[in-house]
Amino acid sequence: MIMQIVLKLRILFLIITFPSWSQVGNTITHGPILGHITHNSVRIWGRTASPGPFNIVYQKIEDTYQTPKSVEANSFRADDTTGWTTLTNLEPDTVYSYYLQVDGNKSKEGSFRTLPDAKDYVNGTHNPEGLFNFRFEYGSCASQNPANGIGPSLPTYTTMLNEVKDKINFAVMNGDWLYEEKRDYPLSEWLKANEIGENGKPKVVSHAPTVVGVWENYKSYLDKAENLAEWHRHVPSYFTFDDHELINDIWGAGTAGRRDRRTVFRDIGTAAWYDYLGWANPIEFDQDIQFGKGNFKKGSDILTDPKTDFTAMDLKQMGNLHVLWGTPTAGVDEIALDSIDDGNPNSKVYDIVEVINKHKLRISPAAVANGSGDYSIARKSYSKFTVGNCDFFLLDTRTHREWHDTQNRDQPGLTMLGKDQLQWLKEEMKNSQADFLFLFSSVPFMIPHIGAGGYAMTSNKDESWTVFLDEREKLINFWEGLEQPVFVLTGDLHNSFAVKITDHIWEFCAGPHNSVNHRLSDEGNRPKSGLYQFDKREMDIRWSSFVLDDIPRPERMYPHYCIVQINNVFNNPQQLGKKRWVAYEHPQVIFQFYDGRTGEFRYSETVSTKRKKK
């Protein structure tokens, strides 16, 4: 009897002291997040405590009594134990619920609706192309640092969850989802948290140890803002990166010879962005960033890396080469660090002239010192996707961006996009069969971004295309020769505006989602509305949000977001309550701007296809 009591007490002690068996083992730490969505597929991401397989369990909402399906994904140490996969063979225009699971541990549940399928809308007489209506949301700039914005409460995301979550098909976060925090997170802490030693480091960590600070930055943003995490569990999203995903005011990454701590952090920030956000986009080029350690001789233009086979890389899918700064504070957004020249003596931007053999590259310029240094070769991060009769282009405005000069805004040949991206964009747009063309640029197109402090070289400050006028004007002239309306959807400036550039070329800037607003003086002292000419081209500012210069910084907290509706068809049944989708001769795109705190409607602009004489 006594033994039975003792045994029961021991069992009770074990139950109280230790977690249940379902809680032992690997866990889901972050996610899920939804990405690229089609009529029959969606991408889903998650992060686990330890690398390995995890499951995505899903089912149609209407089939709650059926056994759910499960697909396995894998997380990898080299990606900070993140991973993703694509659910396929889904039904169109259907709502699914899902969650992540590993070792019996579940994430919070999410949901999504697949896109419509054109074949379900085809009417031989009235809608032969199977067009359908759809909506998306876009915005930019969501700092969670109270010094730079509203803070981690992110009221815009609460508003959007309440007002638009179930009314849109997808969202585009157009840059600055992340702002620099935790960038000084030490490698030793990351190794300790992952229970690995120096010899267990992934290649990216060995060559670019400051990537662990960027990883920590992403985790903290998902940890602090539950409404942000909830939004991404339910709304499939696409992402562009701007400077803060990399490092504030990163310029000149495409200009050979440029030596700057911020500039050569490009690929470290980009690598972390792919682990946490960039996976969500369609992949146009699959050649990943290359990290390695090169040997240099003073005055020589040859980089030698005995551990890398350069002949195995598709350099046509890649960008230029950076020798990394190499200090623990390389990715910290601190102006005082910019005046300290403590990086690797060969750290700068290089062109790759040729592959000499497996282990040697010819680079330009030549090295300035003997020694070794970690380097990176960029990947191309621009891509395209199509929904219905619309083509969407996700541009990369940072990887190939050359060094600008505010005193020579019309410098011939200067490029924001780089020659390869520019050629790709023009070819894709020229051959497009879409009715509408949407370009996501993380930086403004027509309005300058010349103020707001930041980087030490503020005298040369301008994030916008207004310091790349030669390339901008050539693009506008090219677009004028197209049949379709062109919409340049922008971010970075912390205000929203609608700008008519020509009869069928428009810029629509949406934001900020959470960051402190810029003042009119930060935007070239533009008018609040009306005709405006900052450089060689006059524009019509149809509407804008704005902040006057006399408002103190802590009071400049006016977030906005934009909903875009593509109006292709109208339900016109012969019997009330039925469906018969009839296509418009001239479909419309409706841009609708809303207050981020209240959801109050602010402004709309409607643009339709060109009228043609019969």
Side-chain angles (χ1 to χ4, degrees):
M1 183 69 172
I2 294 176
M3 290 298 295
Q4 289 177 333
I5 293 172
V6 170
L7 181 60
K8 288 180 179 180
L9 287 173
R10 285 180 176 176
I11 293 173
L12 180 62
F13 172 78
L14 288 172
I15 292 172
I16 295 172
T17 307
F18 296 99
S20 65
W21 291 115
S22 66
Q23 296 302 311
V24 175
N26 207 354
T27 58
I28 304 295
T29 66
H30 298 85
I33 296 177
L34 295 167
H36 184 38
I37 185 124
T38 72
H39 71 280
N40 62 5
S41 68
V42 68
R43 291 184 185 174
I44 301 181
W45 173 97
R47 183 181 182 275
T48 56
S50 301
F54 62 94
N55 290 300
I56 301 169
V57 182
Y58 67 101
Q59 64 184 154
K60 292 191 291 185
I61 289 286
E62 61 189 39
D63 290 345
T64 53
Y65 296 103
Q66 301 292 322
T67 301
K69 297 179 180 180
S70 179
V71 170
E72 186 176 275
N74 282 280
S75 66
F76 299 94
R77 180 78 72 199
D79 303 324
D80 199 31
T81 64
T82 66
W84 62 275
T85 194
T86 303
L87 301 188
T88 58
N89 299 316
L90 304 176
E91 295 183 19
D93 204 11
T94 300
V95 179
Y96 289 82
S97 64
Y98 74 101
Y99 58 85
L100 310 184
Q101 184 173 28
V102 60
D103 292 346
N105 300 305
K106 298 179 181 180
S107 71
K108 290 186 177 180
E109 189 173 283
S111 65
F112 62 88
R113 179 186 290 274
T114 51
L115 295 180
D117 189 349
K119 68 180 178 60
D120 295 331
Y121 286 76
V122 168
N123 180 296
T125 302
H126 300 291
N127 188 20
E129 297 179 30
L131 297 179
F132 52 86
N133 300 332
F134 64 96
R135 295 188 186 96
F136 67 92
E137 183 274 336
Y138 81 101
S140 60
C141 305
S143 175
Q144 293 187 34
N145 186 338
N148 295 323
I150 298 170
S153 63
L154 292 166
T156 296
Y157 283 88
T158 298
T159 300
M160 293 194 299
L161 285 167
N162 292 334
E163 300 292 331
V164 305
K165 173 175 71 73
D166 298 321
K167 301 175 183 177
I168 59 174
N169 299 91
F170 59 91
V172 181
M173 182 57 182
N174 198 16
D176 293 339
W177 185 96
L178 192 74
Y179 278 64
E180 302 88 341
E181 297 181 50
K182 309 280 187 178
R183 294 296 182 95
D184 55 357
Y185 183 69
L187 174 60
S188 59
E189 289 298 310
W190 186 85
L191 294 173
K192 181 180 177 181
N194 286 275
E195 298 180 335
I196 58 177
E198 283 284 336
N199 294 332
K201 291 185 298 187
K203 181 179 179 181
V204 63
V205 176
S206 295
H207 294 297
T210 47
V211 74
V212 304
V214 192
W215 285 338
E216 195 68 16
N217 198 167
Y218 278 104
K219 292 193 286 282
S220 71
Y221 264 43
L222 288 169
D223 289 337
K224 289 189 294 185
E226 169 52 32
N227 52 1
L228 175 68
E230 182 180 355
W231 173 261
H232 288 306
R233 286 197 301 271
H234 294 279
V235 180
S237 296
Y238 301 86
F239 302 88
T240 65
F241 59 78
D242 197 39
D243 55 341
H244 291 290
E245 280 86 4
L246 310 183
I247 185 170
N248 187 27
D249 289 355
I250 179 171
W251 306 333
T255 299
R258 174 154 171 75
R259 176 176 171 82
D260 179 77
R261 174 181 69 92
R262 294 172 184 262
T263 299
V264 296
F265 198 76
R266 174 195 65 189
D267 297 330
I268 300 173
T270 304
W273 178 79
Y274 270 100
D275 295 332
Y276 277 85
L277 299 179
W279 58 270
N281 295 348
I283 304 299
E284 193 80 22
F285 306 96
D286 56 10
Q287 181 71 60
D288 203 357
I289 299 167
Q290 173 66 37
F291 289 96
K293 183 178 286 293
N295 297 316
F296 303 89
K297 291 183 179 180
K298 183 177 180 179
S300 172
D301 63 355
I302 296 176
L303 178 156
T304 303
D305 181 355
K307 294 185 178 181
T308 297
D309 182 358
F310 294 114
T311 63
M313 296 181 200
D314 185 359
L315 291 176
K316 292 181 180 179
Q317 288 199 40
M318 305 184 77
N320 59 2
L321 183 145
H322 288 183
V323 175
L324 307 180
W325 199 248
T327 65
T329 55
V332 176
D333 182 23
E334 176 57 59
I335 291 176
L337 294 171
D338 297 316
S339 59
I340 304 173
D341 191 5
D342 58 348
N344 185 298
N346 288 312
S347 178
K348 64 179 63 171
V349 178
Y350 295 86
D351 286 334
I352 299 174
V353 178
E354 64 171 328
V355 176
I356 298 174
N357 57 39
K358 283 187 175 182
H359 306 305
K360 291 185 177 182
L361 289 178
R362 191 177 309 280
I363 58 176
S364 177
V368 298
N370 294 324
S372 64
D374 294 301
Y375 68 87
S376 62
I377 304 176
R379 69 180 296 171
K380 294 179 177 178
S381 297
Y382 45 92
S383 60
K384 169 197 169 187
F385 65 97
T386 300
V387 179
N389 60 335
C390 300
D391 279 344
F392 297 87
F393 299 89
L394 301 169
L395 301 182
D396 175 358
T397 66
R398 295 291 176 177
T399 298
H400 315 282
R401 178 182 178 131
E402 294 181 338
W403 178 253
H404 66 260
D405 180 2
T406 55
Q407 302 305 307
N408 188 10
R409 296 176 174 274
D410 204 9
Q411 183 177 335
L414 196 69
T415 180
M416 168 95 71
L417 300 179
K419 62 180 178 62
D420 289 349
Q421 182 175 194
L422 180 61
Q423 181 180 350
W424 167 84
L425 177 64
K426 292 173 74 172
E427 284 296 316
E428 291 288 343
M429 295 182 77
K430 182 177 69 175
N431 296 324
S432 174
Q433 300 301 306
D435 289 324
F436 300 104
L437 302 173
F438 294 85
L439 285 75
F440 286 93
S441 164
S442 68
V443 296
F445 196 66
M446 298 298 295
I447 304 294
H449 180 181
I450 59 176
Y455 192 15
M457 298 190 67
T458 52
S459 61
N460 197 46
K461 170 88 172 187
D462 194 343
E463 303 297 304
S464 174
W465 287 79
T466 52
V467 281
F468 294 88
L469 294 184
D470 180 60
E471 183 170 59
R472 189 193 75 178
E473 292 303 301
K474 287 176 180 175
L475 273 172
I476 291 174
N477 292 334
F478 170 73
W479 296 336
E480 278 289 275
L482 301 177
E483 289 298 317
Q484 306 97 319
V486 175
F487 307 115
V488 188
L489 309 188
T490 61
D492 194 48
L493 271 176
H494 299 174
N495 281 301
S496 295
F497 48 79
V499 173
K500 183 178 181 181
I501 303 171
T502 72
D503 284 344
H504 79 297
I505 302 174
W506 296 74
E507 177 183 3
F508 294 96
C509 186
H513 272 173
N514 202 62
S515 303
V516 63
N517 294 85
H518 289 138
R519 304 159 298 176
L520 284 175
S521 60
D522 299 326
E523 304 177 21
N525 287 310
R526 63 170 176 85
K528 298 172 285 296
S529 62
L531 297 179
Y532 174 53
Q533 186 166 349
F534 175 74
D535 45 63
K536 66 194 325 180
R537 181 178 289 273
E538 187 177 64
M539 69 196 82
D540 182 0
I541 301 176
R542 310 278 281 198
W543 167 87
S544 73
S545 68
F546 58 89
V547 168
L548 298 180
D549 280 52
D550 62 356
I551 300 178
R553 182 182 176 88
E555 303 299 324
R556 289 157 32 199
M557 305 293 178
Y558 297 96
H560 284 79
Y561 62 91
C562 184
I563 303 296
V564 185
Q565 177 168 322
I566 289 78
N567 241 19
N568 286 313
V569 293
F570 186 78
N571 188 27
N572 204 230
Q574 291 177 306
Q575 184 179 348
L576 194 65
K578 300 294 183 180
K579 300 287 186 184
R580 183 175 65 167
W581 297 106
V582 180
Y584 287 103
E585 292 87 348
H586 295 282
Q588 314 101 39
V589 178
I590 308 170
F591 293 84
Q592 302 168 317
F593 290 88
Y594 294 88
D595 184 290
R597 291 182 183 272
T598 66
E600 182 180 352
F601 171 71
R602 293 297 191 200
Y603 180 79
S604 71
E605 187 80 50
T606 301
V607 183
S608 63
T609 54
K610 289 182 179 180
R611 268 56 174 170
K612 297 179 182 179
K613 293 182 179 180
K614 294 183 178 180

